[in-house]
Amino acid sequence: MTTTTDDTAILSGVLDRWQAGVDAHQPDRVAALFTEDAVFQGLHPYSVGRQGVADYYASQPLGMKAEYRVLETRRLADGIVLGYLAVEFSFTDRPPLDVKLSVLVTRVAQEWFIGHYQVSRLEQA
């Protein structure tokens, strides 16, 4: 495993704010964590840019919460970190949904933003 403490801290710095925005049902707050040209693939057709991210999270049910765990990281270059995570989305009216999430975070000036977000839902055997 090549996960480093620094890379995990970088991911957590962005994803803790993502989780807080998701949990508070604040789509614009979540979208602000993405680059202007972010490729976003949730469980619906993909979008490019912050507006697509905001629209996606605005469509999610009130009371949805996210809990993530970093599984792997890779430092692809200076200012670029790849993360692979397990995420559980919980709901008030149905069972939780477990997904895998790949994110690419990039440093713009002194801030880190999500430039790519890809969810995979793996069926249980």
Side-chain angles (χ1 to χ4, degrees):
M1 183 160 92
T2 60
T3 298
T4 69
T5 302
D6 288 344
D7 294 342
T8 299
I10 289 166
L11 286 172
S12 294
V14 176
L15 292 169
D16 285 353
R17 291 180 291 156
W18 166 83
Q19 179 180 359
V22 169
D23 291 357
H25 195 73
Q26 295 178 327
D28 290 333
R29 179 176 162 194
V30 174
L33 300 170
F34 287 75
T35 61
E36 295 283 347
D37 63 348
V39 175
F40 180 87
Q41 177 65 63
L43 293 176
H44 302 292
Y46 86 98
S47 64
V48 176
R50 289 179 176 158
Q51 188 59 55
V53 175
D55 293 345
Y56 180 86
Y57 283 107
S59 74
Q60 299 306 308
L62 291 173
M64 182 180 83
K65 307 280 186 207
E67 177 103 16
Y68 76 90
R69 183 170 49 96
V70 176
L71 301 173
E72 294 284 339
T73 67
R74 300 288 186 274
R75 178 68 64 112
L76 301 180
D78 188 38
I80 302 174
V81 177
L82 173 70
Y84 182 64
L85 307 102
V87 181
E88 180 185 88
F89 290 100
S90 60
F91 305 90
T92 60
D93 61 346
R94 60 183 163 181
L97 175 65
D98 293 313
V99 299
K100 298 298 188 259
L101 173 62
S102 292
V103 293
L104 187 68
V105 297
T106 59
R107 189 174 55 228
V108 178
Q110 298 303 313
E111 294 287 324
W112 289 90
F113 294 91
I114 301 169
H116 185 268
Y117 178 107
Q118 170 74 48
V119 168
S120 298
R121 184 173 178 196
L122 305 175
E123 298 298 326
Q124 299 295 326

